[in-house]
Amino acid sequence: AQSVSQHNHHVILSEAASLELGCNYSYGGTVNLFWYVQYPGQHLQLLLKYFSGDPLVKGIKGFEAEFIKSKFSFNLRKPSVQWSDTAEYFCAVKDSSYKLIFGSGTRLLVRP
Amino acid sequence: GAGVSQTPSNKVTEKGKYVELRCDPISGHTALYWYRQSLGQGPEFLIYFQGTGAADDSGLPNDRFFAVRPEGSVSTLKIQRTERGDSAVYLCASSLKPDSYEQYFGPGTRLTVT
């Protein structure tokens, strides 16, 4: 069965620091990869997605992620975080079925 | 336009009772998904509908859980004989088609079984 691992459960950063959140998945076939974000009091929103092509994908709010097939990874990055990036971030994978398999999430706290 | 809506937003029930959770997807979306999110975990897939039929119910934990989507729009998740372990946030998502890029999530129903 597929699984998704997010290595950092809690991350605390100061504003302007750089961010990298790790994500690894177990499936060896063709996958679609996602990062979702949940801001406090809000529902899950899509941050970015990878389906094919350029392995470096750019999403909203300055986030980007790199798909490295050989490492089964899809890490999320942002060069300079803001206080408003405080949220929970979920990595997810979708294979030939239509359901999403989520990681356990990373809670990011950005201190002003 | 309106997003995915779910009612109620919160539900507290006693162990052993029956509950129904409702999901109203985005108009025109043919695919509808139910997920469950326990504390400290990511959402876990329960069931997926394409139109009126359940195309994949492999995530339903046992036969106390059942879901319907009789007219291909609104869906109801039904839980019989609730147990304290059923306490979680139940999320609904919809997408235009099953292979669409994005699933749009609703705000969830927080179920607490006492």
Side-chain angles (χ1 to χ4, degrees):
Chain A
Q2 282 209 59
S3 65
V4 177
S5 297
Q6 292 183 243
H7 316 296
N8 315 100
H9 298 293
H10 292 90
V11 173
I12 301 174
L13 295 172
S14 297
E15 276 195 315
S18 64
L19 170 71
E20 181 161 2
L21 301 182
C23 173
N24 288 90
Y25 62 93
S26 64
Y27 185 66
T30 301
V31 293
N32 304 141
L33 296 158
F34 305 82
W35 277 96
Y36 277 83
V37 61
Q38 188 166 25
Y39 297 103
Q42 298 187 26
H43 47 201
L44 279 168
Q45 302 171 42
L46 183 65
L47 200 55
L48 49 80
K49 59 186 181 284
Y50 172 79
F51 272 62
S52 63
D54 189 344
L56 184 62
V57 294
K58 295 190 183 299
I60 60 172
K61 305 186 179 184
F63 286 90
E64 63 180 31
E66 185 175 13
F67 169 54
I68 303 179
K69 188 174 182 180
S70 61
K71 294 184 178 180
F72 298 90
S73 70
F74 189 56
N75 292 355
L76 181 71
R77 300 195 292 249
K78 186 171 183 178
S80 176
V81 295
Q82 301 173 315
W83 175 79
S84 58
D85 293 325
T86 293
E88 188 158 19
Y89 294 81
F90 295 93
C91 181
V93 63
K94 185 167 72 167
D95 62 6
S96 54
S97 69
Y98 299 118
K99 58 182 179 277
L100 292 171
I101 308 296
F102 286 87
S104 57
T106 298
R107 287 185 180 270
L108 172 65
L109 173 62
V110 180
R111 292 184 169 149
Chain B
V4 177
S5 62
Q6 292 186 245
T7 55
S9 55
N10 282 283
K11 176 72 177 176
V12 180
T13 190
E14 293 180 348
K15 179 175 176 296
K17 299 290 188 183
Y18 168 83
V19 296
E20 290 189 351
L21 311 178
R22 176 189 167 108
C23 171
D24 205 335
I26 294 172
S27 177
H29 280 194
T30 64
L32 184 147
Y33 312 80
W34 283 98
Y35 295 84
R36 179 169 71 173
Q37 187 174 15
S38 301
L39 196 62
Q41 300 296 319
E44 293 179 293
F45 169 78
L46 294 176
I47 185 170
Y48 143 64
F49 287 89
Q50 172 54 26
T52 61
D56 183 349
D57 64 358
S58 62
L60 294 177
N62 51 60
D63 61 6
R64 296 187 297 106
F65 289 75
F66 188 70
V68 295
R69 194 186 185 199
E71 297 178 357
S73 178
V74 170
S75 176
T76 305
L77 179 66
K78 308 180 181 196
I79 310 174
Q80 298 178 319
R81 305 183 305 280
T82 51
E83 300 177 356
R84 293 196 179 90
D86 299 335
S87 296
V89 177
Y90 289 81
L91 298 169
C92 177
S94 70
S95 64
L96 190 61
K97 300 181 298 179
D99 58 350
S100 295
Y101 287 166
E102 182 171 356
Q103 294 182 16
Y104 295 84
F105 282 82
T109 293
R110 182 176 297 278
L111 175 66
T112 303
V113 182
T114 62

